[in-house]
Amino acid sequence: MTIASHTKIRSPRQQVETAIEEMIVARSPGDRFPPGPELAKQLGVSRATLREVLGAFVERGALVRRHGVGTFVSSRIPVLESGLEVLESIDSLAQQIGLETEMADLEVLERTATPLEAQGLGTPAGKAALPVLIVNRVIAVAGEPIADLRDIVPLKYLRKEDLDQEFRGSILDLFLARSSPILSTSRTQIMVVSATAKFAQRLKVPLGSALLKLGAQLYSYDEEIVAYSVSYFVPGHFNFHVMRRVKQI
Amino acid sequence: MTIASHTKIRSPRQQVETAIEEMIVARSPGDRFPPGPELAKQLGVSRATLREVLGAFVERGALVRRHGVGTFVSSRIPVLESGLEVLESIDSLAQQIGLETEMADLEVLERTATPLEAQGLGTPAGKAALPVLIVNRVIAVAGEPIADLRDIVPLKYLRKEDLDQEFRGSILDLFLARSSPILSTSRTQIMVVSATAKFAQRLKVPLGSALLKLGAQLYSYDEEIVAYSVSYFVPGHFNFHVMRRVKQI
DNA sequence: TCCTATTGACTTGTCAGACAACTAATTTAT
DNA sequence: ATAAATTAGTTGTCTGACAAGTCAATAGGA
């Protein structure tokens, strides 16, 4: 048994993924990519592996491949990975566009989940009461509230003690930093609601004004729901968008 | 030169794609997929091609692959392809869940685009006036309005004469049926607005109530914007959701 | 008996090299 | 000049093989 190095072992696939991503951001929309065989050699990887990775970027809409012609950077992506299809914390989103966020009204408590919360966590109804950690807070920029976030996490995955003084308000970032549980995807429902008295007060908006509500189940790599989060956004501060592919017939 | 058959030539990739899709819907979440080599032989295709297609489904979150273990149907997809990441017309969406839709207040006109519309179509400002076709209508179910749709299409791609008596209200479906232009993706902005007097009247909702607004650029295969559409949805009739992948660090 | 290695079968991940299919520009023939 | 044929370059697909990971069964030691 050799002494394990502390550098993470990254599979060829992962290496190529980040390399391609860097190549894309370094190029302008419409630019040509090096031909497959050449790029594969350059990255020290087989063409098959390279093709699998390129295919993923095509699927995401970042690259366009044309049979017999070439591979090109898509001309319709202003900034890579800024859409809703990638799950990132509000903090890192704000950081990318150079915003300083503040956290207000933080509230952390442990209790049993309400039926609605249990449903959001995918627990079959009628089961024993599920103990959860509730993290509630308001995100503000320059003193102006822009979002109200509530995370519901089964105690199995996170306890009150795990939140140290440095807690910046993002359960997602916490999980990613601990790398346990390992996260994979999130299923996010998109809704609109009118501000109730409670939210009107917390977000400093008129009663009954329109809010964007996102409800998200966070899935671990082994397909467990590790968190259910509900967010309310004040319009105008974030630009959410989604790349949708057309269902060919 | 042989006489061309009227059956569309489908590449191995496309054939495998539909085959896999059928396999997924025929299975239950968590079910095991046949091992790669076996499935490849069964579909009459090489394992490399199969892997590329499977990778696309993994990227979409419909399948999960585990090194050394197997490939499984994702347990987090209730119905395949019902999320926002796939662009389908309201009609086909409604049809899938067994709803009969009606079209009301249809309005079709040709004029030049307003600056805002031109911007939505990606035309550089200050250019010559862009002639467009405007298609406006309300979608209703059982007499109850659920959405207000407006499509803005440059006359280059669609003229008033192209809309026959059978026009069902969906520009998307029309383009798909004509298969010209060939569509690829759509970039959709997600917003919330309060109903103005105009929309309150058209959608029969209280003035100032919350509406979900989607603004979408429709891209052709050669990356031209062929339509800009703005939709207003009355809450509660559609469940929009998005699968978001977690950005690993 | 119980616990711990080891083995082996199975599956996905990666590799190498080759050829087919397609596109666009160039060249040739009419 | 126009149209057809050629050619170079690129993506699409195929074949067969081996590496790497997982898991259960088995053998060995306490």
Side-chain angles (χ1 to χ4, degrees):
Chain A
M1 204 136 339
T2 67
I3 299 172
S5 147
H6 279 284
T7 54
K8 239 178 193 169
I9 307 161
R10 289 167 63 85
S11 66
R13 162 139 211 163
Q14 287 174 312
Q15 293 179 26
V16 173
E17 244 162 22
T18 66
I20 299 291
E21 184 163 338
E22 282 166 12
M23 288 183 67
I24 293 177
V25 297
R27 264 150 234 258
S28 303
D31 279 3
R32 188 188 206 87
F33 246 57
E38 179 184 327
L39 186 52
K41 189 186 298 181
Q42 188 178 315
L43 296 174
V45 82
S46 83
R47 208 185 137 214
T49 302
L50 172 63
R51 273 190 64 81
E52 286 198 20
V53 174
L54 287 179
F57 282 92
V58 171
E59 179 71 27
R60 296 171 203 169
L63 292 177
V64 176
R65 280 197 291 209
R66 282 186 241 177
H67 189 180
V69 183
T71 304
F72 306 86
V73 177
S74 173
S75 62
R76 68 186 103 91
I77 306 260
V79 184
L80 187 72
E81 318 278 37
S82 70
L84 248 197
E85 55 275 342
V86 178
L87 179 64
E88 294 183 277
S89 69
I90 311 273
D91 280 341
S92 56
L93 275 175
Q95 196 180 323
Q96 284 176 22
I97 53 179
L99 282 183
E100 284 286 329
T101 58
E102 308 133 26
M103 184 174 63
D105 297 355
L106 178 64
E107 187 187 6
V108 181
L109 62 150
E110 296 183 358
R111 59 166 168 79
T112 58
T114 67
L116 223 64
E117 290 167 348
Q119 186 189 337
L121 286 169
T123 310
K127 272 295 188 67
L130 181 70
V132 292
L133 178 72
I134 308 279
V135 179
N136 221 336
R137 70 270 185 212
V138 167
I139 302 285
V141 171
E144 195 180 353
I146 60 171
D148 182 285
L149 312 180
R150 162 177 294 218
D151 288 313
I152 298 105
V153 191
L155 284 189
K156 181 178 163 190
Y157 299 112
L158 194 68
R159 312 187 66 89
K160 200 169 182 175
E161 306 90 77
D162 297 332
L163 305 180
D164 57 6
Q165 301 292 8
E166 288 300 314
F167 180 61
R168 302 241 14 243
S170 167
I171 298 287
L172 176 60
D173 285 343
L174 182 63
F175 279 163
L176 287 177
R178 297 204 312 187
S179 59
S180 110
I182 299 181
L183 308 175
S184 64
T185 56
S186 156
R187 185 174 193 276
T188 301
Q189 289 91 21
I190 299 166
M191 296 158 281
V192 295
V193 293
S194 294
T196 61
K198 174 183 152 197
F199 288 109
Q201 184 242 316
R202 285 171 71 93
L203 294 172
K204 296 184 190 166
V205 294
L207 188 67
S209 67
L211 296 176
L212 178 63
K213 175 183 178 180
L214 299 184
Q217 278 96 23
L218 190 52
Y219 286 86
S220 68
Y221 185 66
D222 47 355
E223 307 208 56
E224 302 271 331
I225 301 183
V226 297
Y228 174 56
S229 84
V230 184
S231 331
Y232 296 86
F233 293 92
V234 179
H237 293 283
F238 278 102
N239 257 331
F240 291 110
H241 72 259
V242 179
M243 294 299 301
R244 312 168 69 179
R245 66 175 193 287
V246 172
K247 178 146 185 159
Q248 307 288 357
I249 355 185
Chain B
M1 200 114 13
T2 66
I3 298 173
S5 146
H6 278 284
T7 54
K8 238 179 194 171
I9 306 162
R10 290 166 63 85
S11 66
R13 162 140 211 162
Q14 287 173 313
Q15 293 180 26
V16 173
E17 245 162 21
T18 66
I20 299 291
E21 184 164 336
E22 283 165 12
M23 289 184 66
I24 293 176
V25 297
R27 264 150 233 257
S28 303
D31 280 2
R32 186 188 208 87
F33 247 57
E38 180 185 326
L39 185 53
K41 189 186 297 181
Q42 188 178 315
L43 296 174
V45 82
S46 82
R47 207 184 138 215
T49 301
L50 172 64
R51 273 189 65 81
E52 285 199 18
V53 174
L54 286 180
F57 282 92
V58 171
E59 181 69 27
R60 296 171 203 169
L63 292 178
V64 176
R65 280 196 294 210
R66 281 185 240 181
H67 190 181
V69 184
T71 305
F72 304 86
V73 177
S74 172
S75 62
R76 68 186 104 92
I77 306 259
V79 185
L80 188 74
E81 317 279 35
S82 71
L84 248 197
E85 55 275 341
V86 178
L87 179 63
E88 292 182 278
S89 69
I90 310 272
D91 281 339
S92 55
L93 274 175
Q95 196 181 322
Q96 284 176 22
I97 52 179
L99 282 183
E100 284 286 330
T101 59
E102 307 133 25
M103 182 173 63
D105 297 355
L106 178 65
E107 186 187 5
V108 180
L109 63 149
E110 297 183 357
R111 58 167 168 76
T112 57
T114 67
L116 224 61
E117 291 167 347
Q119 186 189 337
L121 285 169
T123 311
K127 272 294 188 67
L130 181 69
V132 293
L133 179 72
I134 309 279
V135 179
N136 222 334
R137 71 268 185 215
V138 167
I139 302 285
V141 171
E144 195 181 353
I146 60 171
D148 182 283
L149 311 180
R150 164 177 292 218
D151 288 313
I152 298 106
V153 190
L155 285 188
K156 181 180 165 188
Y157 300 112
L158 194 68
R159 310 186 68 88
K160 199 169 182 174
E161 306 89 77
D162 298 331
L163 304 181
D164 57 5
Q165 302 294 8
E166 288 301 313
F167 180 61
R168 303 243 11 244
S170 167
I171 298 287
L172 177 60
D173 285 343
L174 181 64
F175 279 162
L176 287 177
R178 298 203 313 186
S179 58
S180 113
I182 299 180
L183 307 175
S184 64
T185 56
S186 156
R187 186 176 192 276
T188 302
Q189 289 92 21
I190 299 166
M191 296 158 282
V192 297
V193 293
S194 294
T196 62
K198 174 182 151 199
F199 287 109
Q201 184 242 315
R202 286 172 70 94
L203 294 173
K204 296 184 190 167
V205 293
L207 187 66
S209 67
L211 296 176
L212 178 63
K213 175 182 178 182
L214 298 184
Q217 278 97 21
L218 189 54
Y219 286 85
S220 68
Y221 185 67
D222 47 355
E223 308 209 55
E224 302 272 331
I225 300 182
V226 297
Y228 175 55
S229 85
V230 183
S231 330
Y232 296 86
F233 293 93
V234 179
H237 293 284
F238 279 101
N239 255 332
F240 292 111
H241 72 257
V242 179
M243 294 297 303
R244 312 168 69 178
R245 67 176 192 287
V246 172
K247 179 146 184 157
Q248 306 288 357
I249 354 185

